[in-house]
Every structure is written in structure tokens, then in C-alpha cells.
Amino acid sequence: MEKEKDKMEIKEELDTLEIQLARMQNNMKQIAKKSEVISIDRARDEQLVVIYADKKEDTFQLMLHDCNSSYRGKWHSAIQVEFKGDDTLHIADIKGEQNKGYGSVLMKHLKEMARDENVQYITGDIVERDFDHVHRLEYFYSKHNFDVQINHDEQHGAIIWNG
């Protein structure tokens, strides 16, 4: 009986993967009409995701859409970034669904883009509105090798990554 359960689990996983691949193909076609597709990756629980970017002269947004749902013009998670000179990217905001590993996937790709563009630093600010989740932010940035400085009394802080 245990072997039969394993076969059923495998069939379920294959069916799920097949659906994700079909959605990924369609999502990529839709995303590529408006944005630059950067990569396909896996988030937490082996979830397939499409990474894409909208670049402007001084800013860009790196976005992620999962392949469990059809793309309808909206991302599931995004990092908004500003260019500060030739050697620094400044994170203006990170938005989206939490606790799915999406922020980590986006951060990995942001750091890859920084290296590809020969950008040495990624910086950011922690502001008063962030203090309801400051410990989560501190953990997240530390996990991604940022130096995190937080003044809890004055409710502000800064992050810096030196590539």
C-alpha cells in the first residue's frame, strides 16, 4: 500500500509541474510584451517563478510572478531600485507576498544584476513605517549579507551590501 501512495504522490507532483510549466510558458509570453524577462527560478517549496524587470533611466523595478496562477498584469512581489551614481543601487521599496521566499529570489537576482553591471554597493533605508516589522527586515537583510545598522530609539536605519 505504501508503494501505491508513493506512485500517487509522484503522479500528483508531475501533474502540478505540468500545469506550472504550461502557465510559465503563457506567463512569459504575456510578461515579455511589456517587460524584460530576466530569469526563471524556484522559490520556497520548489515553486516556479518568472523574474522580470521594467527599466528606466534612473530607476527600475525587479518583479516576480509565480507559475501557479495566470499572469494578468500584476506581480506577486517586487523590488523598486534607484541608481545612485555609477557604483550604487538604492532599494526604494520591497513589496508583495510574504513568507513565500519571493523576496529572497528577487534579492538574489538584484545582486546578480549589480555584479553584471559592475555596481559595487546596494543600499537602503529602514524608516519609521518599517518598525512594525523591523526584526523581520533585519533578519532578511542579514541573511543576504547586508550590513544592517538600526537605531531603535529614533526608528531609522540603513543597509549596505558591498559586492
Side-chain angles (χ1 to χ4, degrees):
M1 232 203 230
E2 192 173 323
K3 279 193 177 212
E4 192 62 38
K5 182 179 177 188
D6 288 341
K7 286 180 185 178
M8 290 298 288
E9 285 177 353
I10 291 170
K11 181 178 179 350
E12 206 172 286
E13 287 175 11
L14 286 173
D15 289 347
T16 300
L17 184 58
E18 188 175 329
I19 290 167
Q20 282 188 27
L21 288 172
R23 280 202 184 114
M24 178 179 61
Q25 183 179 23
N26 189 51
N27 289 350
M28 284 182 60
K29 285 180 187 176
Q30 297 305 314
I31 290 168
K33 290 177 182 178
K34 294 183 178 183
S35 302
E36 176 187 351
V37 174
I38 304 295
S39 182
I40 303 298
D41 209 332
R42 290 188 183 272
R44 190 173 294 151
D45 300 328
E46 298 300 304
Q47 168 67 45
L48 289 171
V49 294
V50 179
I51 312 303
Y52 57 106
D54 286 342
K55 297 179 181 177
K56 295 183 173 53
E57 189 173 322
D58 294 334
T59 64
F60 71 92
Q61 182 163 267
L62 191 61
M63 298 159 284
L64 175 151
H65 186 80
D66 74 36
C67 295
N68 276 340
S69 60
S70 296
Y71 178 74
R72 301 211 190 312
K74 299 195 181 222
W75 41 260
H76 288 112
S77 197
I79 296 180
Q80 297 168 334
V81 180
E82 302 168 352
F83 291 97
K84 299 284 186 181
D86 292 334
D87 67 346
T88 303
L89 294 175
H90 185 81
I91 298 172
D93 206 356
I94 300 177
K95 299 179 180 180
E97 298 181 28
Q98 298 174 5
N99 300 319
K100 293 190 172 194
Y102 295 168
S104 290
V105 171
L106 287 171
M107 187 60 71
K108 177 181 96 171
H109 287 279
L110 178 62
K111 290 179 354 185
E112 283 178 14
M113 289 175 74
R115 287 183 192 105
D116 290 347
E117 298 290 325
N118 207 23
V119 171
Q120 186 171 356
Y121 302 103
I122 300 174
T123 62
D125 298 313
I126 296 174
V127 296
E128 188 175 342
R129 74 170 185 267
D130 294 326
F131 268 75
D132 65 335
H133 58 279
V134 71
H135 296 295
R136 194 173 77 236
L137 288 173
E138 188 171 13
Y139 173 79
F140 175 79
Y141 287 118
S142 295
K143 177 174 80 169
H144 291 285
N145 300 313
F146 281 76
D147 180 34
V148 181
Q149 302 293 321
I150 298 176
N151 183 324
H152 290 276
D153 294 332
E154 295 185 21
Q155 293 194 335
H156 69 80
I159 59 164
I160 187 166
W161 174 81
N162 185 345

PDB file of all heavy atoms in Angstrom, residues 78-99:
ATOM      1  N   ALA A  78       7.927  42.547  -5.671  1.00  0.00           N
ATOM      2  CA  ALA A  78       8.759  43.462  -6.460  1.00  0.00           C
ATOM      3  C   ALA A  78       9.748  44.209  -5.567  1.00  0.00           C
ATOM      4  O   ALA A  78       9.473  44.458  -4.393  1.00  0.00           O
ATOM      5  CB  ALA A  78       7.882  44.472  -7.199  1.00  0.00           C
ATOM      6  N   ILE A  79      10.891  44.547  -6.158  1.00  0.00           N
ATOM      7  CA  ILE A  79      11.871  45.431  -5.528  1.00  0.00           C
ATOM      8  C   ILE A  79      12.008  46.648  -6.431  1.00  0.00           C
ATOM      9  O   ILE A  79      12.275  46.509  -7.629  1.00  0.00           O
ATOM     10  CB  ILE A  79      13.254  44.755  -5.369  1.00  0.00           C
ATOM     11  CG1 ILE A  79      13.179  43.562  -4.425  1.00  0.00           C
ATOM     12  CG2 ILE A  79      14.285  45.767  -4.852  1.00  0.00           C
ATOM     13  CD1 ILE A  79      14.510  42.845  -4.226  1.00  0.00           C
ATOM     14  N   GLN A  80      11.809  47.834  -5.860  1.00  0.00           N
ATOM     15  CA  GLN A  80      11.980  49.086  -6.594  1.00  0.00           C
ATOM     16  C   GLN A  80      13.359  49.640  -6.249  1.00  0.00           C
ATOM     17  O   GLN A  80      13.705  49.747  -5.066  1.00  0.00           O
ATOM     18  CB  GLN A  80      10.885  50.075  -6.232  1.00  0.00           C
ATOM     19  CG  GLN A  80       9.516  49.572  -6.623  1.00  0.00           C
ATOM     20  CD  GLN A  80       8.395  50.390  -6.009  1.00  0.00           C
ATOM     21  OE1 GLN A  80       8.551  51.007  -4.962  1.00  0.00           O
ATOM     22  NE2 GLN A  80       7.248  50.371  -6.663  1.00  0.00           N
ATOM     23  N   VAL A  81      14.128  49.984  -7.288  1.00  0.00           N
ATOM     24  CA  VAL A  81      15.528  50.358  -7.109  1.00  0.00           C
ATOM     25  C   VAL A  81      15.823  51.652  -7.861  1.00  0.00           C
ATOM     26  O   VAL A  81      15.296  51.882  -8.951  1.00  0.00           O
ATOM     27  CB  VAL A  81      16.452  49.226  -7.625  1.00  0.00           C
ATOM     28  CG1 VAL A  81      17.911  49.581  -7.455  1.00  0.00           C
ATOM     29  CG2 VAL A  81      16.134  47.917  -6.928  1.00  0.00           C
ATOM     30  N   GLU A  82      16.697  52.486  -7.273  1.00  0.00           N
ATOM     31  CA  GLU A  82      17.168  53.717  -7.904  1.00  0.00           C
ATOM     32  C   GLU A  82      18.678  53.612  -8.109  1.00  0.00           C
ATOM     33  O   GLU A  82      19.383  53.052  -7.269  1.00  0.00           O
ATOM     34  CB  GLU A  82      16.886  54.916  -6.999  1.00  0.00           C
ATOM     35  CG  GLU A  82      15.430  55.106  -6.651  1.00  0.00           C
ATOM     36  CD  GLU A  82      15.233  56.132  -5.527  1.00  0.00           C
ATOM     37  OE1 GLU A  82      16.227  56.580  -4.924  1.00  0.00           O
ATOM     38  OE2 GLU A  82      14.068  56.451  -5.254  1.00  0.00           O
ATOM     39  N   PHE A  83      19.164  54.151  -9.210  1.00  0.00           N
ATOM     40  CA  PHE A  83      20.600  54.249  -9.432  1.00  0.00           C
ATOM     41  C   PHE A  83      21.104  55.480  -8.698  1.00  0.00           C
ATOM     42  O   PHE A  83      20.551  56.564  -8.839  1.00  0.00           O
ATOM     43  CB  PHE A  83      20.926  54.388 -10.926  1.00  0.00           C
ATOM     44  CG  PHE A  83      20.638  53.145 -11.715  1.00  0.00           C
ATOM     45  CD1 PHE A  83      19.447  53.010 -12.413  1.00  0.00           C
ATOM     46  CD2 PHE A  83      21.563  52.106 -11.762  1.00  0.00           C
ATOM     47  CE1 PHE A  83      19.172  51.861 -13.148  1.00  0.00           C
ATOM     48  CE2 PHE A  83      21.301  50.960 -12.494  1.00  0.00           C
ATOM     49  CZ  PHE A  83      20.105  50.837 -13.182  1.00  0.00           C
ATOM     50  N   LYS A  84      22.149  55.309  -7.886  1.00  0.00           N
ATOM     51  CA  LYS A  84      22.789  56.418  -7.177  1.00  0.00           C
ATOM     52  C   LYS A  84      24.237  56.455  -7.647  1.00  0.00           C
ATOM     53  O   LYS A  84      25.091  55.761  -7.108  1.00  0.00           O
ATOM     54  CB  LYS A  84      22.739  56.217  -5.659  1.00  0.00           C
ATOM     55  CG  LYS A  84      21.345  56.145  -5.090  1.00  0.00           C
ATOM     56  CD  LYS A  84      20.711  57.503  -5.020  1.00  0.00           C
ATOM     57  CE  LYS A  84      19.371  57.402  -4.303  1.00  0.00           C
ATOM     58  NZ  LYS A  84      18.694  58.652  -4.210  1.00  0.00           N
ATOM     59  N   GLY A  85      24.496  57.217  -8.686  1.00  0.00           N
ATOM     60  CA  GLY A  85      25.835  57.241  -9.266  1.00  0.00           C
ATOM     61  C   GLY A  85      26.102  55.959 -10.038  1.00  0.00           C
ATOM     62  O   GLY A  85      25.200  55.182 -10.319  1.00  0.00           O
ATOM     63  N   ASP A  86      27.370  55.744 -10.368  1.00  0.00           N
ATOM     64  CA  ASP A  86      27.736  54.582 -11.175  1.00  0.00           C
ATOM     65  C   ASP A  86      27.962  53.319 -10.352  1.00  0.00           C
ATOM     66  O   ASP A  86      27.982  52.228 -10.902  1.00  0.00           O
ATOM     67  CB  ASP A  86      29.022  54.879 -11.967  1.00  0.00           C
ATOM     68  CG  ASP A  86      28.791  55.923 -13.043  1.00  0.00           C
ATOM     69  OD1 ASP A  86      27.651  56.059 -13.517  1.00  0.00           O
ATOM     70  OD2 ASP A  86      29.781  56.612 -13.400  1.00  0.00           O
ATOM     71  N   ASP A  87      28.150  53.486  -9.032  1.00  0.00           N
ATOM     72  CA  ASP A  87      28.555  52.315  -8.259  1.00  0.00           C
ATOM     73  C   ASP A  87      27.553  51.879  -7.194  1.00  0.00           C
ATOM     74  O   ASP A  87      27.832  50.978  -6.416  1.00  0.00           O
ATOM     75  CB  ASP A  87      29.918  52.564  -7.605  1.00  0.00           C
ATOM     76  CG  ASP A  87      29.882  53.642  -6.535  1.00  0.00           C
ATOM     77  OD1 ASP A  87      28.893  54.398  -6.465  1.00  0.00           O
ATOM     78  OD2 ASP A  87      30.861  53.724  -5.766  1.00  0.00           O
ATOM     79  N   THR A  88      26.340  52.489  -7.171  1.00  0.00           N
ATOM     80  CA  THR A  88      25.394  52.168  -6.101  1.00  0.00           C
ATOM     81  C   THR A  88      23.970  52.032  -6.629  1.00  0.00           C
ATOM     82  O   THR A  88      23.488  52.866  -7.386  1.00  0.00           O
ATOM     83  CB  THR A  88      25.415  53.266  -5.005  1.00  0.00           C
ATOM     84  OG1 THR A  88      26.753  53.383  -4.512  1.00  0.00           O
ATOM     85  CG2 THR A  88      24.487  52.935  -3.866  1.00  0.00           C
ATOM     86  N   LEU A  89      23.304  50.972  -6.181  1.00  0.00           N
ATOM     87  CA  LEU A  89      21.865  50.806  -6.350  1.00  0.00           C
ATOM     88  C   LEU A  89      21.236  51.026  -4.984  1.00  0.00           C
ATOM     89  O   LEU A  89      21.749  50.534  -3.976  1.00  0.00           O
ATOM     90  CB  LEU A  89      21.524  49.391  -6.833  1.00  0.00           C
ATOM     91  CG  LEU A  89      21.999  48.992  -8.212  1.00  0.00           C
ATOM     92  CD1 LEU A  89      21.675  47.524  -8.475  1.00  0.00           C
ATOM     93  CD2 LEU A  89      21.339  49.863  -9.278  1.00  0.00           C
ATOM     94  N   HIS A  90      20.142  51.765  -4.945  1.00  0.00           N
ATOM     95  CA  HIS A  90      19.460  52.060  -3.684  1.00  0.00           C
ATOM     96  C   HIS A  90      18.066  51.443  -3.724  1.00  0.00           C
ATOM     97  O   HIS A  90      17.273  51.753  -4.611  1.00  0.00           O
ATOM     98  CB  HIS A  90      19.368  53.573  -3.463  1.00  0.00           C
ATOM     99  CG  HIS A  90      18.792  53.938  -2.140  1.00  0.00           C
ATOM    100  ND1 HIS A  90      19.537  53.939  -0.973  1.00  0.00           N
ATOM    101  CD2 HIS A  90      17.534  54.286  -1.788  1.00  0.00           C
ATOM    102  CE1 HIS A  90      18.769  54.290   0.029  1.00  0.00           C
ATOM    103  NE2 HIS A  90      17.547  54.505  -0.436  1.00  0.00           N
ATOM    104  N   ILE A  91      17.785  50.555  -2.768  1.00  0.00           N
ATOM    105  CA  ILE A  91      16.462  49.932  -2.690  1.00  0.00           C
ATOM    106  C   ILE A  91      15.482  50.961  -2.140  1.00  0.00           C
ATOM    107  O   ILE A  91      15.633  51.433  -1.010  1.00  0.00           O
ATOM    108  CB  ILE A  91      16.492  48.678  -1.791  1.00  0.00           C
ATOM    109  CG1 ILE A  91      17.430  47.626  -2.383  1.00  0.00           C
ATOM    110  CG2 ILE A  91      15.079  48.117  -1.607  1.00  0.00           C
ATOM    111  CD1 ILE A  91      17.684  46.439  -1.481  1.00  0.00           C
ATOM    112  N   ALA A  92      14.494  51.303  -2.955  1.00  0.00           N
ATOM    113  CA  ALA A  92      13.478  52.257  -2.528  1.00  0.00           C
ATOM    114  C   ALA A  92      12.355  51.553  -1.770  1.00  0.00           C
ATOM    115  O   ALA A  92      11.821  52.091  -0.802  1.00  0.00           O
ATOM    116  CB  ALA A  92      12.904  53.001  -3.737  1.00  0.00           C
ATOM    117  N   ASP A  93      12.023  50.306  -2.191  1.00  0.00           N
ATOM    118  CA  ASP A  93      10.935  49.582  -1.539  1.00  0.00           C
ATOM    119  C   ASP A  93      10.952  48.129  -1.978  1.00  0.00           C
ATOM    120  O   ASP A  93      11.385  47.808  -3.088  1.00  0.00           O
ATOM    121  CB  ASP A  93       9.586  50.216  -1.894  1.00  0.00           C
ATOM    122  CG  ASP A  93       8.517  49.970  -0.849  1.00  0.00           C
ATOM    123  OD1 ASP A  93       8.779  49.231   0.143  1.00  0.00           O
ATOM    124  OD2 ASP A  93       7.406  50.504  -1.002  1.00  0.00           O
ATOM    125  N   ILE A  94      10.469  47.279  -1.112  1.00  0.00           N
ATOM    126  CA  ILE A  94      10.205  45.873  -1.429  1.00  0.00           C
ATOM    127  C   ILE A  94       8.750  45.632  -1.070  1.00  0.00           C
ATOM    128  O   ILE A  94       8.327  45.921   0.047  1.00  0.00           O
ATOM    129  CB  ILE A  94      11.118  44.910  -0.629  1.00  0.00           C
ATOM    130  CG1 ILE A  94      12.589  45.173  -0.931  1.00  0.00           C
ATOM    131  CG2 ILE A  94      10.756  43.457  -0.941  1.00  0.00           C
ATOM    132  CD1 ILE A  94      13.554  44.320  -0.132  1.00  0.00           C
ATOM    133  N   LYS A  95       7.999  45.102  -2.023  1.00  0.00           N
ATOM    134  CA  LYS A  95       6.561  44.905  -1.819  1.00  0.00           C
ATOM    135  C   LYS A  95       6.172  43.499  -2.236  1.00  0.00           C
ATOM    136  O   LYS A  95       6.848  42.883  -3.058  1.00  0.00           O
ATOM    137  CB  LYS A  95       5.764  45.894  -2.668  1.00  0.00           C
ATOM    138  CG  LYS A  95       6.009  47.344  -2.365  1.00  0.00           C
ATOM    139  CD  LYS A  95       5.189  48.210  -3.293  1.00  0.00           C
ATOM    140  CE  LYS A  95       5.415  49.683  -3.005  1.00  0.00           C
ATOM    141  NZ  LYS A  95       4.632  50.530  -3.891  1.00  0.00           N
ATOM    142  N   GLY A  96       5.045  43.049  -1.709  1.00  0.00           N
ATOM    143  CA  GLY A  96       4.494  41.800  -2.200  1.00  0.00           C
ATOM    144  C   GLY A  96       4.183  40.786  -1.123  1.00  0.00           C
ATOM    145  O   GLY A  96       4.201  41.085   0.071  1.00  0.00           O
ATOM    146  N   GLU A  97       3.907  39.590  -1.597  1.00  0.00           N
ATOM    147  CA  GLU A  97       3.509  38.498  -0.720  1.00  0.00           C
ATOM    148  C   GLU A  97       4.677  38.092   0.178  1.00  0.00           C
ATOM    149  O   GLU A  97       5.817  38.053  -0.258  1.00  0.00           O
ATOM    150  CB  GLU A  97       3.024  37.318  -1.549  1.00  0.00           C
ATOM    151  CG  GLU A  97       1.796  37.656  -2.373  1.00  0.00           C
ATOM    152  CD  GLU A  97       1.285  36.490  -3.191  1.00  0.00           C
ATOM    153  OE1 GLU A  97       1.501  35.330  -2.782  1.00  0.00           O
ATOM    154  OE2 GLU A  97       0.673  36.742  -4.231  1.00  0.00           O
ATOM    155  N   GLN A  98       4.362  37.791   1.424  1.00  0.00           N
ATOM    156  CA  GLN A  98       5.394  37.465   2.408  1.00  0.00           C
ATOM    157  C   GLN A  98       5.437  35.966   2.681  1.00  0.00           C
ATOM    158  O   GLN A  98       4.473  35.243   2.439  1.00  0.00           O
ATOM    159  CB  GLN A  98       5.116  38.204   3.716  1.00  0.00           C
ATOM    160  CG  GLN A  98       5.145  39.702   3.567  1.00  0.00           C
ATOM    161  CD  GLN A  98       4.725  40.415   4.838  1.00  0.00           C
ATOM    162  OE1 GLN A  98       4.490  39.793   5.864  1.00  0.00           O
ATOM    163  NE2 GLN A  98       4.621  41.728   4.763  1.00  0.00           N
ATOM    164  N   ASN A  99       6.592  35.540   3.173  1.00  0.00           N
ATOM    165  CA  ASN A  99       6.810  34.175   3.643  1.00  0.00           C
ATOM    166  C   ASN A  99       6.657  33.109   2.560  1.00  0.00           C
ATOM    167  O   ASN A  99       6.257  31.989   2.846  1.00  0.00           O
ATOM    168  CB  ASN A  99       5.895  33.862   4.833  1.00  0.00           C
ATOM    169  CG  ASN A  99       6.143  34.793   5.995  1.00  0.00           C
ATOM    170  OD1 ASN A  99       7.287  35.105   6.304  1.00  0.00           O
ATOM    171  ND2 ASN A  99       5.083  35.268   6.615  1.00  0.00           N
TER     172      ASN A  99
END
